[in-house]
Structure formats: C-alpha cells, structure tokens
Amino acid sequence: MSISHCKQNRSTALAHPLVLALIVMTASAFKASGQVTIDFWNPDTGEAVVKVLQQDIQRFEKEHSGVKVNLVNIPWSDIFTKWQTGIQSGNLPDAGIASAAFGASLNAQGALEPMDDVIKEMGGESAFAPSAKSFVEMCKKNGSFFDLPYVHNCVVLWYKKDLLKKVGLPVPQTWDELLAAAKALTNDGVYGILMTSSKSDVTQHTFYSLMLSNGADIVDRETGQKVLFDSPATVETLKFYKELAQYSPPGAGGYDRSEAQAAMTTGKIAMFIYGSWLSGALTEAGPDVLAQFGVAPVPHNKGKGSFMGNLTLVAFKAAKHKTEAKMFLEYLMKNENYVRYLLTDPSSYGPVTEGAIKDPTYSNSPQVKDVRDVIDVVKAQLPNAWVYGMPNPHAGELEGLNVIADVVGRVVLENVSPDQAAKDGAAKIQEIITKK
Amino acid sequence: MSIAASPSPSIPRRLRKIAGLEENTVGYLLIMPTLGVLALLIFLPLLSVVWDSLHNKTFLSTSYKFIGLDNYRALFASPGIWAIVIRSLIWTLFSVVLQVNVGLVMALFLNQVFLGRAFFRGLFLLPWVIPVVVVAVIWKWILNDLYGVASDVLTYVFPPWAHLAWFSDPMLALPTLIAINVWRGSPFTMVILLAGLQTVPRDQLEAARIDGANNIQQFRHVTIPHLRKILLIVMLVFALFNFDNFDLIYLTTQGGPLDRTMTLPVKTYEVAFKGLQVGESSALAVIMLFFLAILSIIYLHLVRITSDTRT
C-alpha cells in the first residue's frame, strides 16, 4: 500500500465522525424546527389538475409553516398496486386521492383513517349537497366515513341534435323510445347508437347504467355480499343491450375508451350512453363539436340510475403525521381551493358540497357555463347513480377484471343466451367477492 | 493432446494442485460480480415467483399461507386455461413461420443489386423500429370500421370487406393480430437473413449455375442448406420473443374479444394486476417459464451444435 493511500484512508477515517456529526446535527435542527413532511399520492395526473394541486400545496405551506406536502403523481393504472405493496411493506403515504371502490377495499384491510373529524370540521354531513346523497352513503361504513367524498359525475345519454331533429323524434326518455330512435336513426352510413362490447370500462359503464335504469344491480346495497347479477332484470337488460347493438357500428365490439370517443366525433353516431366526461373529448375535437350534442338522463325502464364516476380523499392509518394530513385534506375542501379544482374540468368534476354549488366563482364561471346543460343533467341523475359492485370491498376487482363487459361480449358477439351469460357472470362475481 | 495441457513431471503434484486451485479461485472471483447481479436481478425474482405460486398470496391481504400445488390444480381445472395455452402456441407458431418466411422473401429481394437498394433496406426496417405502442395505435386507426383508411380503400376495392370488425370479430381478431405481428417482426428476421445470404459462397452458386441449375434450384440446393442453421436459430429466438409477447396484444385487444386473443402473458398480467391474485398469477408465470425453458434448451443445444460444427 502506498503512503498516499495510507494518508487518504486516515483522512477519510477522520472525516467519518465529522460527517456523521453533521448529519445528526442537521437532522436535529430539522426536528427542532418542527418541520413535518406529508406524502400525498395523486392518481389524477392530468396537467391542469396537477397544476392546481401544486398551487394549493404552495398556499398551504405558506399558511402552515413547518408543514411540507410532497405531491407524488402516480397514474390510476399503477396506484392500486402501489397502495397494496405499501400496505404490505408499511410504506404508505399520509394521504391521497382514491375512489369509493378503492377506498372500500383499503378500508376492508384496515388501512384507512376515519374521516369523521374532517367532515365535522367541514360543517358535518349537512355540508354535502342533496345530489351527493348516494355518494356520501357509499363512503360510510357503520355510520363512520372511511372516505371523504371529493368529486363525482355520471353516465348520461349523448345524442346528436341534428340527426334526432331530422327524423322528427323527441329525445328518448324510455327504453322503448331509445330502441325506436336507434332504429330510425340507422341509415345512410349513420349508426343509431354506439354500443360497445369490448373488454373495457366503456362497455361496463353503458351496461351498468342500463342495468340500473331497469332496477337491476350487481350486489345488494345493504351488505354488498349478496350477488344479484343473475336476476330477471339483468337478463332483460342483456336482451335489450343486444337489440340495441344491431344499430351500432360492426367494429364497436372492439372499441375501447379512446376509439369510442373518436367515433363520436365522426358525426356518424347518433346516440351514446356514456359518461359526462365525454365533453372533454368533444371539445378537443373542434370548436363546434360539443355544441352538436345534447345530453339527457339515461332512458329508463323499470328503474332509474346510471354509473357514477368519483374521486375521494383518504388518510392512511399508518400515516406518520395524521393531524397534518387531515389539515391538508380540510384545506383542499375549502371552497376557494375546491372550486379551483372543480373548474379544471366541470363536466367531469361535479361538486359534492352545497357551498361549492352555490359559490358564484363556480356557478358563474365561463367553464361551467359552457357545459351547463351537462352539469344539470348529471346533477339530476346523481342521487340515483351508483358504482358497480359497491359496497362490496371487491368492487375495484370486478371493474378491473371486466367481468360485466365479458358477460355483455358473450351475449352480443358470441350469441350466448342472456340467461346463461348472467348465470355465469353471477358465479364469477361470487368467486371474486368470496376470495380472501 | 496439447503441450499446455500435459502436466509437467518436474512440478510436484501438491504444488500443481495449489496452482490449479488458485487459478480456479481467480476465475470464480472474476465471475462473482456477474453472478451477484444475475442472482439479484434474475434468480431471486425467479425463485420468488416459484415460491409465491405455492401460496395463496393476494395484493389484498398481508397474510397468506402455503397451499402447495393448489394454484396449479385450480388453474388446470379451469376450463379456459387449455384454450389459452393452445392459443399461445398457435400465436407463436404462425407468427414465427410467417415472420421468417416474409423476412426471407424481403432479404432475397434486398440481396439483389438494384438502384435504391439502400433506401429500401431502410424502408423495410421501419416497422421494427417503430415503438410498439405507436404500432398499436396506427393499426387500430387504419383498421377502424368507422373512420379507418382500410375501410375507405376496401369500399372501392372489395366492398364486402369494407366494414369488417378486424379487432372485435371473434374469428378475425387473432389472425389480425398475427398479421400485425408479422408486419412488425419480419424486418428483423430480414436483417439477420440478409446477413446470412451475403455469406453464401458465390463460387458455389456459380458452379451450380454452370451445372445448369435454375434460380429455384440454386436457392433450394445451395442457399437454403447454407442458411439452415441461421434459419433454425432465428426461428427459435423469434419463438421466444413471440411466446413472451405481451405489449402488442394488450395494447390492441387486451386479450379480447371474449378471450380470443388471450395468451399466457396477457392472462398472467390480468390475474396479477387486475385480479390482484399474486399466487395464481405466479403459477401462470411458472407455466410460461416451463414453455420458455423448453425453447431455450433447444436454442442452446442448437447454438452448441452450430459452434461445434464451425470448430
């Protein structure tokens, strides 16, 4: 070993205690200053949303010295796996954005902190708008909130105004009217209605909305444990879906979300039972495209309702800084911050609080005025809207595995009898919800 | 026997043993870092997958227990699994055979001397260099029945096919995907086979021609025997690539319609990340590994035969 090596090693050895001391001192200084950092996982990674959240965080940190918020953007496709691995490794964030279905799953695993104190600070349950009633119910278990309802939307009937006017038919309100309109509108390269049967959320949203509008459901709403999918009402919905599918483009069996949205901008589709969030794609397609479409509640038969999309706020039991995490969630729900979030996409982000709905910054904003008709129809439908599989904690898996879309596909593409497909679907759902 | 290999009678056996040991030790030490990396990145995850496949582990619970081969029994008892295995093999077989044949035709074409050959070599390689996500988007757009280019063209050329549901017709979806996979994979086989074609001895072709062999006979009796080993290796490597293919299928059909394009990798992903069943998906991964191991063993055997023949 050379002398220079010896010297170097000795100096390194001397430096070690110094470095350690410096690290300890810095850490102590941070602790003494009361610096707290909370991790916030956000799966809603759209540019506008992230920007608003970043601004909220900056303001929050200014108003709450000593608290830092670390915003971690994780796309929806990865977030559930991240939560689950987080639960198993004990490496969860302090808080984040989730959904009712994912919240139910996390709560069933004992991972969530009750949100009752946050809701109390917001003014109690009465702070929520009547339109958010079913959403609020979904976020509770045994009278206690495990999720904080954040925003919601639902599936509606989109129709092309000029095409409907051309055939002289009113906007369909019942199943019979919907079928008649689909038939009348199918001609000259135009298809009466878009009915996908692909293994995708589009098929599930449309079919589940029709199920609700016929009084059917997947599981009971009391316990979430009783599978109702093979009921006569579901079988009837499957038959109706197949009837409507004959007025749909032949390739619609394979359309996923982006293809379905693109198909709507071609002008060749007259109607589509789909989420209020379609307005975003229609607006992007051109300045007048959205104006060509009208919206109405999902036509009903023996029931009422449609699929509800939603976001919730959650705090984790394993959080290191629960108090600060909940303070941040309360801050996000403060009217001025909440309204900024809602305005990033008003047709997708429906408000849950009465305060936000009545806030003139929200109601008089140009963004809201542009999609006022969509917002009104959504608001009218929301009390009857629901999330499939809820309140069963396996609702998220039912969605992820496209169980309902598979059933629809078998009936529409493979001509399996609706009775048989519903029975098989119910058995599959039973298998999933009984898995530990 | 070479001189280096013969033990020198002047060195005592004990010393020779120590020297040999030292030589081995140095060798082992030198491969240690690589072995370490391999253990961390390949063997440990592999063992972990096998271990998980013997447990009822899910992403939904922190507790799980050893269940032996129950995951495998449940999988083999489920009605759909054999269809998925057979479909995976069909997908692999047709993809490989077509990719190699189309690649060979393209290579033969580009092996000719003509103006603009370099341009065509670049052009033919394009499908391979395009990212697979772009390939999926392009073909989904081209073949869309409502606004796709293919639909517009077929309206004039062959109207009965103008509005075919390429991705959603249960009979058409798998052939459509295989065709896209061939379009994407053939350029790469072309490059390898073109390199092989350029090593075919000109004098042998010349001799065959002088003996009266026409182009087809030259190809059959000179070119193909020369390319045989390359062809075999390409076929096996592409069999591995294709059996393992997840991205193209998932990005276009997600295994649908009605599981008609569902292969083992897509099913494994679905069970793991949508069904959240770690144990079951690990068992599927091990089944996949079994097929891949067979292909790999054949491949390694062929490589050894090839290198033995060369030496």
Side-chain angles (χ1 to χ4, degrees):
Chain A
M1 192 182 281
S2 69
I3 295 168
S4 63
H5 261 117
C6 281
K7 273 184 182 169
Q8 197 181 340
N9 281 353
R10 197 177 295 162
S11 59
T12 314
L14 281 170
H16 281 161
L18 284 173
V19 172
L20 275 174
L22 197 67
I23 291 168
V24 170
M25 277 165 69
T26 317
S28 312
F30 262 105
K31 208 174 175 184
S33 71
Q35 185 75 54
V36 160
T37 301
I38 56 171
D39 286 324
F40 186 84
W41 285 6
N42 166 45
D44 201 6
T45 53
E47 200 182 334
V49 167
V50 172
K51 201 175 164 190
V52 164
L53 283 175
Q54 282 169 340
Q55 288 165 350
D56 285 342
I57 287 168
Q58 276 175 7
R59 278 191 296 274
F60 176 79
E61 287 174 349
K62 261 187 198 166
E63 290 173 31
H64 301 81
S65 59
V67 184
K68 286 236 165 258
V69 181
N70 180 29
L71 176 68
V72 185
N73 298 306
I74 302 164
W76 277 113
S77 52
D78 300 336
I79 192 83
F80 196 64
T81 317
K82 289 279 281 182
W83 282 324
Q84 294 306 330
T85 46
I87 289 172
Q88 294 184 20
S89 64
N91 194 20
L92 280 168
D94 296 87
I97 292 177
S99 71
F102 285 143
S105 171
L106 295 169
N107 187 49
Q109 297 172 71
L112 295 184
E113 182 69 12
M115 300 300 281
D116 302 300
D117 44 353
V118 179
I119 287 164
K120 199 177 165 190
E121 284 295 319
M122 283 168 57
E125 222 175 301
S126 58
F128 294 111
S131 55
K133 192 173 169 269
S134 63
F135 188 21
V136 168
E137 285 308 309
M138 237 179 268
C139 296
K140 283 196 289 191
K141 186 158 190 192
N142 302 326
S144 174
F145 281 88
F146 55 84
D147 259 350
L148 174 57
Y150 194 29
V151 292
H152 57 168
N153 53 34
C154 68
V155 165
V156 295
L157 172 71
W158 290 88
Y159 61 90
K160 202 142 182 302
K161 293 176 197 168
D162 59 335
L163 294 175
L164 211 57
K165 200 176 168 186
K166 201 173 153 189
V167 293
L169 286 173
V171 177
Q173 290 182 11
T174 64
W175 276 20
D176 290 340
E177 288 173 9
L178 182 69
L179 187 62
K183 196 176 176 182
L185 288 161
T186 305
N187 55 40
D188 294 338
V190 170
Y191 296 93
I193 189 162
L194 181 58
M195 304 295 286
T196 67
S197 36
S198 59
K199 217 173 163 177
S200 70
D201 56 354
V202 187
T203 307
Q204 309 207 110
H205 294 164
T206 307
F207 182 69
Y208 185 62
S209 298
L210 285 172
M211 272 181 76
L212 293 177
S213 72
N214 196 34
D217 211 333
I218 293 169
V219 291
D220 73 291
R221 291 192 186 175
E222 297 299 315
T223 63
Q225 298 300 322
K226 195 177 170 195
V227 178
L228 307 173
F229 190 71
D230 50 356
S231 68
T234 306
V235 175
E236 191 182 12
T237 313
L238 280 167
K239 285 178 186 164
F240 183 62
Y241 200 98
K242 194 178 177 186
E243 260 188 289
L244 285 174
Q246 59 186 315
Y247 306 112
S248 189
Y255 289 2
D256 57 18
R257 178 188 277 229
S258 58
E259 285 170 297
Q261 292 187 163
M264 290 304 289
T265 63
T266 59
K268 296 178 185 172
I269 308 283
M271 297 186 292
F272 187 24
I273 296 170
Y274 192 54
S276 54
W277 53 88
L278 179 65
S279 69
L282 297 176
T283 309
E284 277 175 24
D288 338 311
V289 180
L290 180 61
Q292 296 168 13
F293 288 89
V295 282
V298 173
H300 58 86
N301 194 39
K302 292 172 186 162
K304 269 187 177 180
S306 72
F307 170 80
M308 182 202 290
N310 66 86
L311 295 178
T312 61
L313 296 172
V314 291
F316 288 91
K317 245 182 199 149
K320 292 181 194 100
H321 311 292
K322 284 179 200 167
T323 314
E324 289 81 0
K326 286 186 174 179
M327 266 163 55
F328 180 60
L329 299 186
E330 273 172 47
Y331 189 79
L332 290 179
M333 291 304 291
K334 271 190 174 176
N335 245 15
E336 63 270 29
N337 305 323
Y338 187 44
V339 165
R340 263 194 298 271
Y341 187 86
L342 297 172
L343 291 180
T344 57
D345 187 355
S347 59
S348 293
Y349 300 147
V352 294
T353 62
E354 196 65 11
I357 293 171
K358 288 181 177 161
D359 191 324
T361 325
Y362 173 75
S363 53
N364 296 335
S365 71
Q367 298 99 307
V368 168
K369 280 181 178 166
D370 284 349
V371 286
R372 173 56 73 193
D373 51 344
V374 181
I375 290 173
D376 288 344
V377 171
V378 167
K379 197 178 160 193
Q381 280 204 131
L382 276 171
N384 295 314
W386 199 253
V387 174
Y388 44 67
M390 284 295 282
N392 192 288
H394 291 275
E397 290 156 76
L398 294 177
E399 182 182 352
L401 285 170
N402 293 305
V403 180
I404 307 164
D406 258 353
V407 172
V408 173
R410 289 184 69 204
V411 171
V412 176
L413 300 172
E414 219 173 32
N415 291 321
V416 172
S417 80
D419 290 273
Q420 189 57 48
K423 258 183 211 159
D424 295 346
K428 182 76 186 166
I429 292 164
Q430 187 69 55
E431 186 193 323
I432 291 168
I433 68 172
T434 46
K435 253 182 191 169
K436 294 286 176 197
Chain B
M1 193 182 284
S2 70
I3 296 166
S6 64
S8 163
S10 59
I11 302 170
R13 181 177 286 180
R14 193 168 55 85
L15 279 177
R16 282 207 310 270
K17 205 173 170 185
I18 291 167
L21 191 71
E22 275 181 358
E23 199 177 320
N24 283 342
T25 312
V26 172
Y28 285 128
L29 281 174
L30 284 171
I31 61 164
M32 273 301 174
T34 313
L35 273 180
V37 171
L38 281 176
L40 272 175
L41 297 180
I42 296 174
F43 300 132
L44 274 181
L46 210 62
L47 283 176
S48 154
V49 166
V50 175
W51 184 247
D52 284 348
S53 76
L54 304 172
H55 292 78
N56 64 345
K57 198 174 176 183
T58 77
F59 274 128
L60 291 167
S61 171
T62 47
S63 61
Y64 53 90
K65 62 176 185 186
F66 182 80
I67 54 165
L69 296 173
D70 281 3
N71 279 326
Y72 294 92
R73 280 192 204 105
L75 271 177
F76 287 118
S78 68
I81 188 69
W82 290 110
I84 292 171
V85 170
I86 291 167
R87 194 175 301 111
S88 303
L89 294 172
I90 290 172
W91 156 265
T92 307
L93 180 76
F94 278 90
S95 294
V96 171
V97 169
L98 291 170
Q99 279 168 345
V100 171
N101 279 295
V102 174
L104 182 60
V105 171
M106 285 156 74
L108 285 168
F109 170 66
L110 292 177
N111 200 35
Q112 310 300 312
V113 181
F114 61 91
L115 189 68
R117 185 168 69 161
F119 169 76
F120 279 104
R121 280 182 181 178
L123 188 75
F124 283 6
L125 203 59
L126 265 183
W128 179 256
V129 297
I130 296 173
V132 68
V133 64
V134 181
V135 170
V137 172
I138 288 174
W139 281 103
K140 286 211 89 174
W141 176 72
I142 291 174
L143 297 177
N144 187 287
D145 62 323
L146 206 62
Y147 51 83
V149 177
S151 175
D152 289 344
V153 173
L154 286 167
T155 306
Y156 298 106
V157 180
F158 195 61
W161 284 18
H163 294 288
L164 283 181
W166 299 98
F167 290 107
S168 55
D169 185 320
M171 299 299 287
L172 274 179
L174 188 62
T176 304
L177 278 193
I178 290 173
I180 297 170
N181 196 31
V182 171
W183 177 84
R184 180 173 150 73
S186 300
F188 195 51
T189 56
M190 174 199 81
V191 171
I192 300 168
L193 295 173
L194 185 59
L197 279 175
Q198 287 171 353
T199 63
V200 176
R202 295 272 163 201
D203 52 346
Q204 285 185 20
L205 287 168
E206 191 67 26
R209 196 179 303 125
I210 291 165
D211 287 347
N214 60 24
N215 283 346
I216 293 169
Q217 286 167 326
Q218 284 173 48
F219 176 70
R220 194 177 155 198
H221 297 292
V222 180
T223 310
I224 286 294
H226 194 81
L227 284 182
R228 190 171 290 143
K229 280 169 196 158
I230 299 173
L231 277 170
L232 270 173
I233 288 172
V234 168
M235 283 177 104
L236 276 162
V237 171
F238 270 74
L240 286 166
F241 279 172
N242 285 305
F243 192 83
D244 223 9
N245 191 307
F246 164 79
D247 41 16
L248 181 64
I249 301 173
Y250 194 75
L251 288 166
T252 47
T253 61
Q254 292 192 31
L258 307 166
D259 283 1
R260 294 299 164 83
T261 59
M262 184 66 78
T263 56
L264 275 170
V266 181
K267 185 69 182 173
T268 307
Y269 174 85
E270 193 179 68
V271 173
F273 296 107
K274 294 195 166 175
L276 308 169
Q277 302 302 314
V278 181
E280 199 182 322
S281 63
S282 300
L284 274 165
V286 172
I287 294 169
M288 253 175 69
L289 187 71
F290 170 76
F291 285 102
L292 291 171
I294 291 175
L295 288 170
S296 303
I297 289 166
I298 299 171
Y299 169 73
L300 291 171
H301 184 66
L302 265 174
V303 169
R304 200 165 52 212
I305 289 173
T306 315
S307 48
D308 284 352
T309 319
R310 275 187 193 148
T311 53

